[in-house]
Amino acid sequence: MIHMRAFMPDNTQQRLSDLLRWGKLRQDQVSQAILITNESVIGFLKRQLQKGNWRAVNDVLEGKPMTKAGQFMLNELRDHIATNLIMRLGLRKVIAVGIALVILPLVLAKLSGSVINRFKS
Protein backbone atom coordinates (compact mmCIF):
# COMPACT_ATOMS: atom_id res chain seq x y z
CA MET A 1 0.00 0.00 0.00
CA ILE A 2 1.26 3.46 -0.93
CA HIS A 3 1.32 5.94 1.93
CA MET A 4 0.94 9.14 -0.05
CA ARG A 5 1.16 11.26 3.11
CA ALA A 6 4.85 10.39 3.28
CA PHE A 7 5.32 12.32 0.06
CA MET A 8 2.78 15.10 0.51
CA PRO A 9 3.77 18.23 2.40
CA ASP A 10 1.04 19.95 4.42
CA ASN A 11 -1.35 22.28 2.54
CA THR A 12 0.15 21.52 -0.88
CA GLN A 13 -2.52 23.37 -2.85
CA GLN A 14 -2.03 26.57 -0.87
CA ARG A 15 1.75 26.36 -1.18
CA LEU A 16 1.52 25.83 -4.94
CA SER A 17 -0.80 28.80 -5.48
CA ASP A 18 1.42 31.00 -3.27
CA LEU A 19 4.49 29.88 -5.22
CA LEU A 20 2.81 30.64 -8.56
CA ARG A 21 1.81 34.12 -7.44
CA TRP A 22 5.20 34.86 -5.90
CA GLY A 23 7.18 33.55 -8.87
CA LYS A 24 4.78 35.11 -11.40
CA LEU A 25 4.59 31.83 -13.30
CA ARG A 26 2.20 31.20 -16.17
CA GLN A 27 0.04 28.10 -16.42
CA ASP A 28 2.04 26.77 -19.38
CA GLN A 29 5.25 27.04 -17.34
CA VAL A 30 3.63 24.97 -14.58
CA SER A 31 2.57 22.35 -17.13
CA GLN A 32 6.09 22.22 -18.52
CA ALA A 33 7.49 21.97 -14.99
CA ILE A 34 5.27 18.96 -14.30
CA LEU A 35 6.39 17.25 -17.53
CA ILE A 36 10.04 18.00 -16.80
CA THR A 37 9.63 16.66 -13.26
CA ASN A 38 8.00 13.48 -14.51
CA GLU A 39 10.72 12.89 -17.13
CA SER A 40 13.44 13.66 -14.58
CA VAL A 41 12.01 11.26 -12.00
CA ILE A 42 11.70 8.41 -14.48
CA GLY A 43 15.18 8.97 -15.90
CA PHE A 44 16.77 9.35 -12.47
CA LEU A 45 15.15 6.18 -11.11
CA LYS A 46 16.17 4.20 -14.21
CA ARG A 47 19.78 5.32 -13.78
CA GLN A 48 19.71 4.39 -10.10
CA LEU A 49 18.32 0.95 -10.93
CA GLN A 50 21.07 0.44 -13.51
CA LYS A 51 23.64 1.32 -10.82
CA GLY A 52 22.13 -1.32 -8.56
CA ASN A 53 20.43 0.90 -5.99
CA TRP A 54 17.36 -1.33 -5.84
CA ARG A 55 16.65 -0.85 -2.14
CA ALA A 56 16.71 2.96 -2.27
CA VAL A 57 14.46 3.08 -5.33
CA ASN A 58 12.09 0.61 -3.68
CA ASP A 59 11.99 2.70 -0.48
CA VAL A 60 11.17 5.86 -2.42
CA LEU A 61 8.50 4.17 -4.56
CA GLU A 62 6.86 2.49 -1.57
CA GLY A 63 6.57 5.80 0.25
CA LYS A 64 9.29 5.23 2.83
CA PRO A 65 11.53 8.24 2.22
CA MET A 66 12.71 8.35 5.85
CA THR A 67 15.03 5.37 5.61
CA LYS A 68 18.64 6.45 5.11
CA ALA A 69 18.78 5.16 1.55
CA GLY A 70 15.37 6.59 0.69
CA GLN A 71 16.18 9.96 2.23
CA PHE A 72 19.45 10.21 0.30
CA MET A 73 17.68 9.23 -2.92
CA LEU A 74 14.91 11.77 -2.36
CA ASN A 75 17.40 14.59 -1.73
CA GLU A 76 19.38 13.68 -4.84
CA LEU A 77 16.17 13.57 -6.86
CA ARG A 78 15.07 17.02 -5.63
CA ASP A 79 18.44 18.51 -6.57
CA HIS A 80 18.32 16.85 -9.98
CA ILE A 81 14.82 18.15 -10.70
CA ALA A 82 15.66 21.68 -9.55
CA THR A 83 18.69 21.69 -11.84
CA ASN A 84 16.59 20.50 -14.79
CA LEU A 85 13.97 23.17 -14.13
CA ILE A 86 16.64 25.88 -14.02
CA MET A 87 18.27 24.69 -17.22
CA ARG A 88 15.17 23.93 -19.28
CA LEU A 89 12.78 26.67 -18.13
CA GLY A 90 15.29 29.32 -17.13
CA LEU A 91 13.79 29.74 -13.67
CA ARG A 92 15.55 31.31 -10.74
CA LYS A 93 17.03 28.82 -8.31
CA VAL A 94 14.69 29.60 -5.43
CA ILE A 95 11.61 29.19 -7.64
CA ALA A 96 12.91 25.95 -9.17
CA VAL A 97 13.58 24.48 -5.72
CA GLY A 98 10.13 25.53 -4.53
CA ILE A 99 8.45 23.96 -7.54
CA ALA A 100 10.46 20.77 -7.11
CA LEU A 101 9.43 20.55 -3.44
CA VAL A 102 5.75 20.94 -4.29
CA ILE A 103 5.47 18.93 -7.53
CA LEU A 104 7.85 16.06 -6.73
CA PRO A 105 5.62 14.42 -4.09
CA LEU A 106 2.66 14.45 -6.46
CA VAL A 107 4.64 12.93 -9.32
CA LEU A 108 6.21 10.30 -7.04
CA ALA A 109 2.84 9.29 -5.62
CA LYS A 110 1.33 8.89 -9.08
CA LEU A 111 4.37 7.11 -10.51
CA SER A 112 4.77 4.74 -7.58
CA GLY A 113 1.11 3.77 -7.73
CA SER A 114 1.30 2.95 -11.42
CA VAL A 115 4.61 1.08 -11.14
CA ILE A 116 3.52 -1.04 -8.19
CA ASN A 117 0.14 -1.81 -9.77
CA ARG A 118 1.88 -2.85 -13.00
CA PHE A 119 4.11 -5.33 -11.20
CA LYS A 120 1.31 -6.73 -9.01
CA SER A 121 -0.89 -7.59 -11.98
Side-chain angles (χ1 to χ4, degrees):
M1 179 173 165
I2 305 297
H3 301 285
M4 289 178 51
R5 285 308 259 164
F7 291 119
M8 307 285 265
D10 293 333
N11 51 353
T12 304
Q13 184 64 36
Q14 181 64 35
R15 289 175 69 186
L16 181 60
S17 61
D18 290 344
L19 181 65
L20 294 178
R21 268 186 275 124
W22 178 74
K24 298 177 184 163
L25 297 173
R26 299 181 315 269
Q27 186 63 37
D28 64 320
Q29 287 178 312
V30 175
S31 299
Q32 289 176 340
I34 291 170
L35 290 175
I36 290 169
T37 303
N38 192 29
E39 291 171 2
S40 299
V41 167
I42 291 171
F44 183 83
L45 292 178
K46 282 182 181 178
R47 284 191 301 279
Q48 293 302 316
L49 289 172
Q50 289 172 349
K51 290 179 181 178
N53 295 336
W54 295 91
R55 179 178 232 75
V57 171
N58 188 38
D59 287 347
V60 169
L61 288 179
E62 285 186 348
K64 302 177 194 171
M66 291 303 124
T67 62
K68 286 186 180 183
Q71 198 170 33
F72 175 74
M73 179 77 64
L74 194 59
N75 289 335
E76 288 291 315
L77 189 54
R78 283 181 186 151
D79 293 343
H80 180 72
I81 289 169
T83 303
N84 281 350
L85 290 172
I86 290 169
M87 289 177 21
R88 291 175 65 181
L89 291 179
L91 299 175
R92 292 182 301 182
K93 183 177 181 178
V94 68
I95 294 173
V97 170
I99 289 174
L101 288 174
V102 173
I103 294 176
L104 178 61
L106 303 173
V107 170
L108 276 176
K110 182 172 171 98
L111 180 68
S112 64
S114 66
V115 167
I116 290 175
N117 285 338
R118 186 179 300 166
F119 285 114
K120 282 186 178 180
S121 57

